[in-house]
PDB file of all heavy atoms in Angstrom:
ATOM      1  N   ASP U  30       2.265  21.750 -22.115  1.00  0.00           N
ATOM      2  CA  ASP U  30       3.320  21.903 -21.164  1.00  0.00           C
ATOM      3  C   ASP U  30       3.151  23.143 -20.411  1.00  0.00           C
ATOM      4  O   ASP U  30       3.722  23.449 -19.389  1.00  0.00           O
ATOM      5  CB  ASP U  30       4.743  21.782 -21.858  1.00  0.00           C
ATOM      6  CG  ASP U  30       4.899  22.848 -22.936  1.00  0.00           C
ATOM      7  OD1 ASP U  30       3.851  23.516 -23.312  1.00  0.00           O
ATOM      8  OD2 ASP U  30       5.974  23.110 -23.366  1.00  0.00           O
ATOM      9  N   GLU U  31       2.325  24.164 -20.834  1.00  0.00           N
ATOM     10  CA  GLU U  31       2.194  25.293 -20.054  1.00  0.00           C
ATOM     11  C   GLU U  31       1.018  25.348 -19.161  1.00  0.00           C
ATOM     12  O   GLU U  31       0.905  26.186 -18.249  1.00  0.00           O
ATOM     13  CB  GLU U  31       1.968  26.517 -21.052  1.00  0.00           C
ATOM     14  CG  GLU U  31       0.842  26.503 -21.935  1.00  0.00           C
ATOM     15  CD  GLU U  31       0.592  27.685 -22.791  1.00  0.00           C
ATOM     16  OE1 GLU U  31       1.032  28.860 -22.377  1.00  0.00           O
ATOM     17  OE2 GLU U  31       0.160  27.688 -23.960  1.00  0.00           O
ATOM     18  N   ILE U  32       0.057  24.370 -19.257  1.00  0.00           N
ATOM     19  CA  ILE U  32      -1.071  24.247 -18.386  1.00  0.00           C
ATOM     20  C   ILE U  32      -0.692  23.646 -16.992  1.00  0.00           C
ATOM     21  O   ILE U  32      -1.283  24.275 -16.048  1.00  0.00           O
ATOM     22  CB  ILE U  32      -2.104  23.405 -19.096  1.00  0.00           C
ATOM     23  CG1 ILE U  32      -2.607  23.930 -20.391  1.00  0.00           C
ATOM     24  CG2 ILE U  32      -3.374  23.159 -18.185  1.00  0.00           C
ATOM     25  CD1 ILE U  32      -3.478  23.137 -21.149  1.00  0.00           C
ATOM     26  N   VAL U  33       0.221  22.808 -17.047  1.00  0.00           N
ATOM     27  CA  VAL U  33       0.517  22.025 -15.699  1.00  0.00           C
ATOM     28  C   VAL U  33       1.761  22.770 -15.132  1.00  0.00           C
ATOM     29  O   VAL U  33       2.690  23.093 -15.782  1.00  0.00           O
ATOM     30  CB  VAL U  33       0.838  20.658 -16.021  1.00  0.00           C
ATOM     31  CG1 VAL U  33       1.155  19.826 -14.570  1.00  0.00           C
ATOM     32  CG2 VAL U  33      -0.366  19.885 -16.562  1.00  0.00           C
ATOM     33  N   ASP U  34       1.692  23.021 -13.779  1.00  0.00           N
ATOM     34  CA  ASP U  34       2.747  23.579 -13.080  1.00  0.00           C
ATOM     35  C   ASP U  34       4.031  22.621 -13.258  1.00  0.00           C
ATOM     36  O   ASP U  34       3.889  21.499 -12.945  1.00  0.00           O
ATOM     37  CB  ASP U  34       2.372  23.677 -11.664  1.00  0.00           C
ATOM     38  CG  ASP U  34       3.483  24.494 -10.833  1.00  0.00           C
ATOM     39  OD1 ASP U  34       4.452  24.853 -11.220  1.00  0.00           O
ATOM     40  OD2 ASP U  34       3.201  24.560  -9.590  1.00  0.00           O
ATOM     41  N   GLU U  35       5.020  23.299 -13.703  1.00  0.00           N
ATOM     42  CA  GLU U  35       6.302  22.625 -14.049  1.00  0.00           C
ATOM     43  C   GLU U  35       6.881  21.833 -12.835  1.00  0.00           C
ATOM     44  O   GLU U  35       7.414  20.738 -12.971  1.00  0.00           O
ATOM     45  CB  GLU U  35       7.291  23.540 -14.620  1.00  0.00           C
ATOM     46  CG  GLU U  35       6.968  24.133 -15.960  1.00  0.00           C
ATOM     47  CD  GLU U  35       7.914  25.128 -16.274  1.00  0.00           C
ATOM     48  OE1 GLU U  35       8.817  25.560 -15.608  1.00  0.00           O
ATOM     49  OE2 GLU U  35       7.581  25.934 -17.309  1.00  0.00           O
ATOM     50  N   THR U  36       6.736  22.420 -11.634  1.00  0.00           N
ATOM     51  CA  THR U  36       7.506  21.794 -10.468  1.00  0.00           C
ATOM     52  C   THR U  36       6.669  20.565  -9.977  1.00  0.00           C
ATOM     53  O   THR U  36       7.168  19.725  -9.379  1.00  0.00           O
ATOM     54  CB  THR U  36       7.624  22.894  -9.240  1.00  0.00           C
ATOM     55  OG1 THR U  36       6.183  23.334  -9.092  1.00  0.00           O
ATOM     56  CG2 THR U  36       8.415  24.031  -9.831  1.00  0.00           C
ATOM     57  N   LYS U  37       5.350  20.539 -10.064  1.00  0.00           N
ATOM     58  CA  LYS U  37       4.609  19.516  -9.520  1.00  0.00           C
ATOM     59  C   LYS U  37       4.248  18.565 -10.609  1.00  0.00           C
ATOM     60  O   LYS U  37       3.997  17.301 -10.192  1.00  0.00           O
ATOM     61  CB  LYS U  37       3.257  20.156  -8.920  1.00  0.00           C
ATOM     62  CG  LYS U  37       3.554  21.251  -7.897  1.00  0.00           C
ATOM     63  CD  LYS U  37       2.175  21.686  -7.355  1.00  0.00           C
ATOM     64  CE  LYS U  37       2.536  22.840  -6.296  1.00  0.00           C
ATOM     65  NZ  LYS U  37       1.417  23.612  -6.091  1.00  0.00           N
ATOM     66  N   GLY U  38       3.931  18.905 -11.834  1.00  0.00           N
ATOM     67  CA  GLY U  38       3.526  17.859 -12.850  1.00  0.00           C
ATOM     68  C   GLY U  38       1.991  17.492 -12.671  1.00  0.00           C
ATOM     69  O   GLY U  38       1.577  16.710 -13.490  1.00  0.00           O
ATOM     70  N   MET U  39       1.329  18.031 -11.776  1.00  0.00           N
ATOM     71  CA  MET U  39      -0.071  17.767 -11.487  1.00  0.00           C
ATOM     72  C   MET U  39      -0.895  19.012 -11.664  1.00  0.00           C
ATOM     73  O   MET U  39      -0.305  20.044 -11.223  1.00  0.00           O
ATOM     74  CB  MET U  39      -0.331  16.972 -10.339  1.00  0.00           C
ATOM     75  CG  MET U  39       0.452  15.760 -10.089  1.00  0.00           C
ATOM     76  SD  MET U  39       0.018  14.366 -11.304  1.00  0.00           S
ATOM     77  CE  MET U  39      -1.480  13.840 -10.425  1.00  0.00           C
ATOM     78  N   LEU U  40      -2.028  18.942 -11.953  1.00  0.00           N
ATOM     79  CA  LEU U  40      -3.008  20.057 -12.071  1.00  0.00           C
ATOM     80  C   LEU U  40      -3.481  20.268 -10.589  1.00  0.00           C
ATOM     81  O   LEU U  40      -3.627  19.327  -9.824  1.00  0.00           O
ATOM     82  CB  LEU U  40      -4.185  19.753 -12.930  1.00  0.00           C
ATOM     83  CG  LEU U  40      -3.977  19.668 -14.374  1.00  0.00           C
ATOM     84  CD1 LEU U  40      -5.191  18.997 -15.129  1.00  0.00           C
ATOM     85  CD2 LEU U  40      -3.631  20.921 -15.006  1.00  0.00           C
ATOM     86  N   SER U  41      -3.752  21.451 -10.215  1.00  0.00           N
ATOM     87  CA  SER U  41      -4.202  21.796  -8.983  1.00  0.00           C
ATOM     88  C   SER U  41      -5.753  21.258  -8.881  1.00  0.00           C
ATOM     89  O   SER U  41      -6.504  21.468  -9.831  1.00  0.00           O
ATOM     90  CB  SER U  41      -4.179  23.386  -8.758  1.00  0.00           C
ATOM     91  OG  SER U  41      -4.937  23.680  -7.577  1.00  0.00           O
ATOM     92  N   LEU U  42      -5.909  20.693  -7.723  1.00  0.00           N
ATOM     93  CA  LEU U  42      -7.399  20.173  -7.551  1.00  0.00           C
ATOM     94  C   LEU U  42      -8.300  21.257  -6.920  1.00  0.00           C
ATOM     95  O   LEU U  42      -9.437  21.210  -6.909  1.00  0.00           O
ATOM     96  CB  LEU U  42      -7.322  19.013  -6.637  1.00  0.00           C
ATOM     97  CG  LEU U  42      -6.563  17.694  -7.198  1.00  0.00           C
ATOM     98  CD1 LEU U  42      -6.649  16.574  -6.260  1.00  0.00           C
ATOM     99  CD2 LEU U  42      -7.028  17.387  -8.649  1.00  0.00           C
ATOM    100  N   ASP U  43      -7.568  22.354  -6.499  1.00  0.00           N
ATOM    101  CA  ASP U  43      -8.370  23.391  -5.806  1.00  0.00           C
ATOM    102  C   ASP U  43      -8.905  24.424  -6.802  1.00  0.00           C
ATOM    103  O   ASP U  43      -9.926  25.061  -6.577  1.00  0.00           O
ATOM    104  CB  ASP U  43      -7.470  24.182  -4.838  1.00  0.00           C
ATOM    105  CG  ASP U  43      -6.916  23.247  -3.709  1.00  0.00           C
ATOM    106  OD1 ASP U  43      -7.822  22.279  -3.417  1.00  0.00           O
ATOM    107  OD2 ASP U  43      -5.801  23.327  -3.246  1.00  0.00           O
ATOM    108  N   ILE U  44      -8.171  24.738  -7.891  1.00  0.00           N
ATOM    109  CA  ILE U  44      -8.629  25.799  -8.784  1.00  0.00           C
ATOM    110  C   ILE U  44      -8.474  25.320 -10.268  1.00  0.00           C
ATOM    111  O   ILE U  44      -7.784  24.344 -10.490  1.00  0.00           O
ATOM    112  CB  ILE U  44      -7.804  27.201  -8.518  1.00  0.00           C
ATOM    113  CG1 ILE U  44      -6.327  26.997  -8.831  1.00  0.00           C
ATOM    114  CG2 ILE U  44      -8.109  27.837  -7.284  1.00  0.00           C
ATOM    115  CD1 ILE U  44      -5.562  28.218  -8.774  1.00  0.00           C
ATOM    116  N   ASP U  45      -9.275  25.959 -11.120  1.00  0.00           N
ATOM    117  CA  ASP U  45      -9.267  25.427 -12.473  1.00  0.00           C
ATOM    118  C   ASP U  45      -7.973  25.756 -13.205  1.00  0.00           C
ATOM    119  O   ASP U  45      -7.285  26.689 -12.787  1.00  0.00           O
ATOM    120  CB  ASP U  45     -10.537  25.915 -13.287  1.00  0.00           C
ATOM    121  CG  ASP U  45     -10.395  27.419 -13.494  1.00  0.00           C
ATOM    122  OD1 ASP U  45      -9.796  27.725 -14.510  1.00  0.00           O
ATOM    123  OD2 ASP U  45     -11.061  28.275 -12.744  1.00  0.00           O
ATOM    124  N   PRO U  46      -7.622  24.939 -14.223  1.00  0.00           N
ATOM    125  CA  PRO U  46      -6.312  25.137 -14.812  1.00  0.00           C
ATOM    126  C   PRO U  46      -6.131  26.533 -15.502  1.00  0.00           C
ATOM    127  O   PRO U  46      -4.959  27.047 -15.446  1.00  0.00           O
ATOM    128  CB  PRO U  46      -6.339  24.144 -15.932  1.00  0.00           C
ATOM    129  CG  PRO U  46      -7.333  23.124 -15.487  1.00  0.00           C
ATOM    130  CD  PRO U  46      -8.241  23.875 -14.687  1.00  0.00           C
ATOM    131  N   LYS U  47      -7.056  27.173 -16.031  1.00  0.00           N
ATOM    132  CA  LYS U  47      -6.959  28.497 -16.565  1.00  0.00           C
ATOM    133  C   LYS U  47      -6.662  29.464 -15.509  1.00  0.00           C
ATOM    134  O   LYS U  47      -5.683  30.378 -15.670  1.00  0.00           O
ATOM    135  CB  LYS U  47      -8.218  28.920 -17.317  1.00  0.00           C
ATOM    136  CG  LYS U  47      -8.110  30.143 -18.209  1.00  0.00           C
ATOM    137  CD  LYS U  47      -9.336  30.334 -18.999  1.00  0.00           C
ATOM    138  CE  LYS U  47      -9.248  31.501 -19.967  1.00  0.00           C
ATOM    139  NZ  LYS U  47     -10.453  31.739 -20.534  1.00  0.00           N
ATOM    140  N   LEU U  48      -7.399  29.457 -14.449  1.00  0.00           N
ATOM    141  CA  LEU U  48      -7.050  30.415 -13.238  1.00  0.00           C
ATOM    142  C   LEU U  48      -5.621  30.139 -12.726  1.00  0.00           C
ATOM    143  O   LEU U  48      -4.854  31.185 -12.414  1.00  0.00           O
ATOM    144  CB  LEU U  48      -8.058  30.333 -12.147  1.00  0.00           C
ATOM    145  CG  LEU U  48      -7.818  31.196 -10.969  1.00  0.00           C
ATOM    146  CD1 LEU U  48      -7.756  32.661 -11.304  1.00  0.00           C
ATOM    147  CD2 LEU U  48      -8.898  30.984  -9.922  1.00  0.00           C
ATOM    148  N   ALA U  49      -5.106  28.847 -12.580  1.00  0.00           N
ATOM    149  CA  ALA U  49      -3.908  28.429 -12.113  1.00  0.00           C
ATOM    150  C   ALA U  49      -2.839  29.000 -13.012  1.00  0.00           C
ATOM    151  O   ALA U  49      -1.797  29.521 -12.577  1.00  0.00           O
ATOM    152  CB  ALA U  49      -3.878  26.923 -11.916  1.00  0.00           C
ATOM    153  N   TRP U  50      -2.979  28.898 -14.308  1.00  0.00           N
ATOM    154  CA  TRP U  50      -2.089  29.457 -15.354  1.00  0.00           C
ATOM    155  C   TRP U  50      -1.952  30.911 -15.064  1.00  0.00           C
ATOM    156  O   TRP U  50      -0.814  31.432 -15.156  1.00  0.00           O
ATOM    157  CB  TRP U  50      -2.449  29.117 -16.730  1.00  0.00           C
ATOM    158  CG  TRP U  50      -1.565  29.589 -17.723  1.00  0.00           C
ATOM    159  CD1 TRP U  50      -0.393  29.057 -18.203  1.00  0.00           C
ATOM    160  CD2 TRP U  50      -1.609  30.994 -18.330  1.00  0.00           C
ATOM    161  NE1 TRP U  50       0.226  29.812 -19.113  1.00  0.00           N
ATOM    162  CE2 TRP U  50      -0.536  30.994 -19.269  1.00  0.00           C
ATOM    163  CE3 TRP U  50      -2.393  32.078 -18.254  1.00  0.00           C
ATOM    164  CZ2 TRP U  50      -0.182  32.199 -19.922  1.00  0.00           C
ATOM    165  CZ3 TRP U  50      -2.210  33.188 -18.941  1.00  0.00           C
ATOM    166  CH2 TRP U  50      -1.077  33.260 -19.823  1.00  0.00           C
ATOM    167  N   ALA U  51      -3.067  31.613 -15.071  1.00  0.00           N
ATOM    168  CA  ALA U  51      -3.004  33.086 -14.941  1.00  0.00           C
ATOM    169  C   ALA U  51      -2.349  33.544 -13.692  1.00  0.00           C
ATOM    170  O   ALA U  51      -1.559  34.487 -13.647  1.00  0.00           O
ATOM    171  CB  ALA U  51      -4.425  33.670 -15.038  1.00  0.00           C
ATOM    172  N   LEU U  52      -2.535  32.861 -12.579  1.00  0.00           N
ATOM    173  CA  LEU U  52      -1.766  33.117 -11.278  1.00  0.00           C
ATOM    174  C   LEU U  52      -0.326  33.004 -11.442  1.00  0.00           C
ATOM    175  O   LEU U  52       0.460  33.729 -10.758  1.00  0.00           O
ATOM    176  CB  LEU U  52      -2.452  32.413 -10.164  1.00  0.00           C
ATOM    177  CG  LEU U  52      -3.809  32.795  -9.781  1.00  0.00           C
ATOM    178  CD1 LEU U  52      -4.384  31.805  -8.731  1.00  0.00           C
ATOM    179  CD2 LEU U  52      -4.049  34.173  -9.269  1.00  0.00           C
ATOM    180  N   ARG U  53       0.131  32.006 -12.218  1.00  0.00           N
ATOM    181  CA  ARG U  53       1.490  31.729 -12.431  1.00  0.00           C
ATOM    182  C   ARG U  53       2.097  32.737 -13.348  1.00  0.00           C
ATOM    183  O   ARG U  53       3.374  32.914 -13.436  1.00  0.00           O
ATOM    184  CB  ARG U  53       1.771  30.341 -12.899  1.00  0.00           C
ATOM    185  CG  ARG U  53       1.688  29.200 -11.975  1.00  0.00           C
ATOM    186  CD  ARG U  53       2.279  27.886 -12.435  1.00  0.00           C
ATOM    187  NE  ARG U  53       1.743  27.543 -13.770  1.00  0.00           N
ATOM    188  CZ  ARG U  53       0.733  26.833 -14.113  1.00  0.00           C
ATOM    189  NH1 ARG U  53      -0.133  26.500 -13.099  1.00  0.00           N
ATOM    190  NH2 ARG U  53       0.389  26.495 -15.266  1.00  0.00           N
ATOM    191  N   HIS U  54       1.373  33.440 -14.109  1.00  0.00           N
ATOM    192  CA  HIS U  54       1.869  34.314 -15.153  1.00  0.00           C
ATOM    193  C   HIS U  54       1.257  35.787 -14.883  1.00  0.00           C
ATOM    194  O   HIS U  54       0.792  36.352 -15.831  1.00  0.00           O
ATOM    195  CB  HIS U  54       1.384  33.810 -16.604  1.00  0.00           C
ATOM    196  CG  HIS U  54       2.063  32.583 -16.899  1.00  0.00           C
ATOM    197  ND1 HIS U  54       1.626  31.357 -16.762  1.00  0.00           N
ATOM    198  CD2 HIS U  54       3.311  32.373 -17.574  1.00  0.00           C
ATOM    199  CE1 HIS U  54       2.395  30.477 -17.012  1.00  0.00           C
ATOM    200  NE2 HIS U  54       3.510  31.024 -17.649  1.00  0.00           N
ATOM    201  N   ARG U  55       1.385  36.157 -13.687  1.00  0.00           N
ATOM    202  CA  ARG U  55       0.874  37.501 -13.294  1.00  0.00           C
ATOM    203  C   ARG U  55       1.519  38.651 -14.104  1.00  0.00           C
ATOM    204  O   ARG U  55       0.949  39.741 -14.175  1.00  0.00           O
ATOM    205  CB  ARG U  55       0.915  37.747 -11.845  1.00  0.00           C
ATOM    206  CG  ARG U  55       0.087  36.760 -11.110  1.00  0.00           C
ATOM    207  CD  ARG U  55       0.222  36.994  -9.526  1.00  0.00           C
ATOM    208  NE  ARG U  55      -0.437  35.947  -8.826  1.00  0.00           N
ATOM    209  CZ  ARG U  55      -0.944  36.012  -7.593  1.00  0.00           C
ATOM    210  NH1 ARG U  55      -0.836  37.179  -7.036  1.00  0.00           N
ATOM    211  NH2 ARG U  55      -1.486  34.952  -7.065  1.00  0.00           N
ATOM    212  N   ASP U  56       2.714  38.376 -14.577  1.00  0.00           N
ATOM    213  CA  ASP U  56       3.480  39.466 -15.299  1.00  0.00           C
ATOM    214  C   ASP U  56       2.661  39.786 -16.584  1.00  0.00           C
ATOM    215  O   ASP U  56       2.834  40.846 -17.185  1.00  0.00           O
ATOM    216  CB  ASP U  56       4.820  39.024 -15.642  1.00  0.00           C
ATOM    217  CG  ASP U  56       4.894  37.574 -16.376  1.00  0.00           C
ATOM    218  OD1 ASP U  56       4.160  36.708 -15.891  1.00  0.00           O
ATOM    219  OD2 ASP U  56       5.616  37.529 -17.296  1.00  0.00           O
ATOM    220  N   ARG U  57       1.713  39.017 -17.092  1.00  0.00           N
ATOM    221  CA  ARG U  57       1.039  39.331 -18.338  1.00  0.00           C
ATOM    222  C   ARG U  57      -0.311  39.957 -18.158  1.00  0.00           C
ATOM    223  O   ARG U  57      -0.931  40.275 -19.157  1.00  0.00           O
ATOM    224  CB  ARG U  57       0.754  37.832 -18.967  1.00  0.00           C
ATOM    225  CG  ARG U  57       2.014  37.205 -19.514  1.00  0.00           C
ATOM    226  CD  ARG U  57       1.733  35.953 -20.163  1.00  0.00           C
ATOM    227  NE  ARG U  57       1.095  36.222 -21.457  1.00  0.00           N
ATOM    228  CZ  ARG U  57       0.945  35.243 -22.380  1.00  0.00           C
ATOM    229  NH1 ARG U  57       1.447  34.096 -22.253  1.00  0.00           N
ATOM    230  NH2 ARG U  57       0.296  35.619 -23.489  1.00  0.00           N
TER     231      ARG U  57
END
């Protein structure tokens, strides 16, 4: 549940999931 963007429900096809997660959690 933390890998996929909650609002879209789909993985980004443009960037890998780990980078997408990191960009959504810049506060960390």
Side-chain angles (χ1 to χ4, degrees):
D30 60 347
E31 66 180 323
I32 297 172
V33 182
D34 185 1
E35 297 169 4
T36 59
K37 298 176 185 165
M39 300 295 280
L40 295 167
S41 171
L42 300 180
D43 299 326
I44 57 175
D45 70 82
K47 190 176 185 182
L48 178 59
W50 179 89
L52 292 173
R53 286 193 312 272
H54 296 89
R55 292 179 192 208
D56 57 311
R57 296 184 63 168

